Amino acid sequence: MYEYIYQGDKYVMNIKKLLLSQIEKVVIDLHYDFLYEDEYGELLCQVIQRDSSGSIESTPISFHLCINEEKGTGHLIYYQALGEMNRQSFDIENPDTILAILTFIIEVLGSDPISETK
């Protein structure tokens, strides 16, 4: 289930892949797309909604994800159109902090946008 990377003289969990896969699953289950770019040790992530032709209709939330793989910690800074909206820290040893990230994203995206239009 978890992927490990060799770092120095030991194997450590690849926290980046773990978090990205969990966030992507939540976002896709809510019928959004998830894009990210790994730049200079920071992940720049966007949740986007597409129209029927596949063009980007909106970006309900974006965030910077900074991870310290050695310590198993990190933080997210969330943005919406009007600027920064929230910050969260996490520690991989505390599953509640990961759950809080996923819960926050679900709350921001709201309920299933497809079912609302039916």
Side-chain angles (χ1 to χ4, degrees):
M1 179 178 175
Y2 300 116
E3 182 176 324
Y4 291 84
I5 54 176
Y6 191 72
Q7 194 170 60
D9 60 348
K10 61 183 176 182
Y11 282 94
V12 295
M13 186 184 311
N14 189 333
I15 298 167
K16 176 173 70 174
K17 286 191 178 190
L18 172 69
L19 280 175
L20 289 175
S21 69
Q22 295 304 305
I23 292 169
E24 184 174 38
K25 181 180 180 348
V26 164
V27 167
I28 288 173
D29 285 350
L30 292 171
H31 304 283
Y32 291 89
D33 284 344
F34 181 61
L35 307 173
Y36 64 90
E37 181 177 321
D38 194 349
E39 192 166 302
Y40 307 114
E42 238 181 51
L43 287 163
L44 308 173
C45 307
Q46 289 186 313
V47 175
I48 61 171
Q49 186 170 15
R50 296 189 184 270
D51 63 19
S52 59
S53 67
S55 297
I56 295 175
E57 186 174 296
S58 67
T59 304
I61 189 170
S62 58
F63 52 92
H64 286 167
L65 173 58
C66 301
I67 300 170
N68 183 327
E69 290 279 351
E70 267 186 41
K71 292 183 178 179
T73 60
H75 66 274
L76 292 89
I77 305 171
Y78 299 97
Y79 300 92
Q80 284 187 317
L82 297 176
E84 184 179 324
M85 63 176 292
N86 193 27
R87 290 176 179 240
Q88 284 182 302
S89 296
F90 67 87
D91 183 336
I92 202 69
E93 297 294 324
N94 182 352
D96 289 342
T97 61
I98 306 303
L99 185 57
I101 290 168
L102 301 176
T103 301
F104 180 77
I105 291 170
I106 290 168
E107 288 173 355
V108 168
L109 298 178
S111 60
D112 183 347
I114 292 176
S115 65
E116 290 179 2
T117 60
K118 292 182 179 177

